Amino acid sequence: MSFNQSITLLSVIRLNRAKVTFTWFMVLVENFLKILLPLFIGFAIDGLLNQNNQPLFLFSLILFVLVLISVLRRIYDTRVYGDTRVTLASMVERNLRDASVSVRDARLTMSRELVDFFEEDLPLVITAIIQLVTTVVILSTFHIKLAMCVLIAALGMLLIYWIFHQTFTRLNKELNDQKEQQVRVLNSQPLAAIRAHFEALRRCEIKLSDVGALAYGLIFIILFAAVLTNLWMVSTLDDPSVGQIFTIVTYSLEFVEAAVMLPITLQIMTRLTEIGQRLNQLPAQMTRD
């Protein structure tokens, strides 16, 4: 079996580079507008309290543009990534033509996850990064301690994921190993063996879920502690307006939403790295039926 091209996340981008780049540009614009919403809501609140409707009109305009770009981007994304899935599936099938049907079926399904990452997960990652940077900058304009609080929480969150990283890697490998046996089991094994296969899949998924729940529980504790600390520090500001208080509280909560995406993304990347290694295995390294 000859490999025409190594299959990685970077190689998936190259399959449709110009169109994928344009989708990223639309995601950036969409998220830039989205991250400004709490700030302009605060402006609108203070404007209405002062009998000034101009900030409200500006907020309405931003909302309209945001909805328009969001709709167009999703329509475009579906077509771009649909084409990419077809091209990638052809590459995987060509590279795995000498593998067993069970392995080929499982890895063709796994390969779709590489494209799913760009269509479904990457926009959320871009959103999270923009939200994190903007949150820190905006909070620092009110008080540097507000920004430092969320930064310390982010470091604590990444430390927790680092502790669980090897466990996620091992459990994803076990799950993918089991998935590669499915077609063989369904094709020629007795009912008891089929049931045992699905029980094994269930155990792998439960282990992944349990470890993920524990990790995210610890992460949420750290993040919500940061939000509560910021709420307490609002009282140290000099006569904050209603709009300022709303902005601080909203951005602190958005920091939680954005920060949680980082360990989720790292877990996804761990799984995709394992899948990429599997797709690029040489024939001698494959487990045959």
Side-chain angles (χ1 to χ4, degrees):
M1 173 173 55
S2 62
F3 285 76
N4 298 319
Q5 182 179 353
S6 177
I7 298 174
T8 64
L9 286 173
L10 185 58
S11 70
V12 172
I13 297 174
R14 289 171 177 164
L15 294 177
N16 220 340
R17 182 181 303 176
K19 293 182 178 180
V20 169
T21 301
F22 184 66
T23 67
W24 291 357
F25 171 75
M26 295 179 73
V27 169
L28 286 173
V29 174
E30 178 184 340
N31 283 285
F32 176 74
L33 294 175
K34 188 181 298 182
I35 198 65
L36 291 177
L37 290 182
L39 184 62
F40 280 89
I41 290 175
F43 291 156
I45 291 174
D46 287 342
L48 291 173
L49 291 176
N50 293 313
Q51 307 301 314
N52 179 9
N53 291 329
Q54 184 175 352
L56 180 61
F57 294 146
L58 182 57
F59 173 68
S60 301
L61 177 61
I62 292 174
L63 274 180
F64 174 77
V65 175
L66 174 61
V67 171
L68 180 63
I69 292 178
S70 298
V71 171
L72 292 176
R73 200 257 304 171
R74 283 160 176 77
I75 292 173
Y76 185 71
D77 276 5
T78 302
R79 288 157 176 77
V80 171
Y81 291 117
D83 292 342
T84 304
R85 286 188 183 92
V86 173
T87 305
L88 180 61
S90 299
M91 287 176 56
V92 173
E93 174 61 23
R94 182 169 58 249
N95 289 347
L96 298 177
R97 65 168 66 94
D98 295 333
S100 67
V101 174
S102 186
V103 170
R104 287 159 59 194
D105 175 76
R107 295 189 186 182
L108 279 168
T109 301
M110 291 177 194
S111 70
R112 293 178 63 86
E113 294 187 36
L114 300 178
V115 183
D116 290 345
F117 171 76
F118 291 108
E119 182 176 8
E120 300 169 7
D121 301 312
L122 186 61
L124 298 178
V125 175
I126 294 175
T127 299
I129 293 173
I130 294 175
Q131 283 182 329
L132 289 173
V133 173
T134 307
T135 295
V136 172
V137 171
I138 291 178
L139 289 178
S140 66
T141 63
F142 293 103
H143 201 295
I144 190 63
K145 289 183 179 179
L146 297 172
M148 291 301 298
C149 181
V150 295
L151 281 175
I152 292 172
L155 292 175
M157 172 196 65
L158 292 175
L159 176 62
I160 289 174
Y161 180 80
W162 177 80
I163 294 173
F164 285 91
H165 172 70
Q166 290 300 326
T167 303
F168 281 130
T169 300
R170 175 178 56 82
L171 293 178
N172 273 300
K173 183 178 184 304
E174 292 178 4
L175 178 61
N176 288 336
D177 285 342
Q178 193 63 39
K179 284 183 176 180
E180 290 192 354
Q181 301 178 34
Q182 182 157 304
V183 171
R184 176 184 58 81
V185 171
L186 294 177
N187 188 50
S188 59
Q189 298 298 319
L191 183 60
I194 295 175
R195 179 177 178 82
H197 164 71
F198 285 107
E199 284 292 337
L201 279 179
R202 183 182 68 86
R203 287 193 297 270
C204 291
E205 292 166 347
I206 288 175
K207 288 178 183 178
L208 265 174
S209 176
D210 288 348
V211 173
L214 177 59
Y216 297 133
L218 295 173
I219 287 170
F220 272 114
I221 289 174
I222 291 177
L223 295 178
F224 282 124
V227 172
L228 293 174
T229 302
N230 274 4
L231 290 177
W232 173 76
M233 284 195 290
V234 167
S235 62
T236 65
L237 300 179
D238 295 330
D239 193 24
S241 68
V242 175
Q244 288 176 328
I245 294 175
F246 172 84
T247 300
I248 292 172
V249 172
T250 302
Y251 276 110
S252 295
L253 291 174
E254 285 200 356
F255 171 81
V256 173
E257 179 184 353
V260 167
M261 274 306 303
L262 293 183
I264 290 176
T265 302
L266 291 173
Q267 184 178 356
I268 292 172
M269 293 298 293
T270 297
R271 173 166 177 77
L272 295 182
T273 298
E274 203 282 331
I275 289 175
Q277 293 171 350
R278 199 172 287 263
L279 294 177
N280 292 306
Q281 281 180 343
L282 297 174
Q285 296 172 310
M286 290 187 180
T287 301
R288 293 184 174 275
D289 292 341

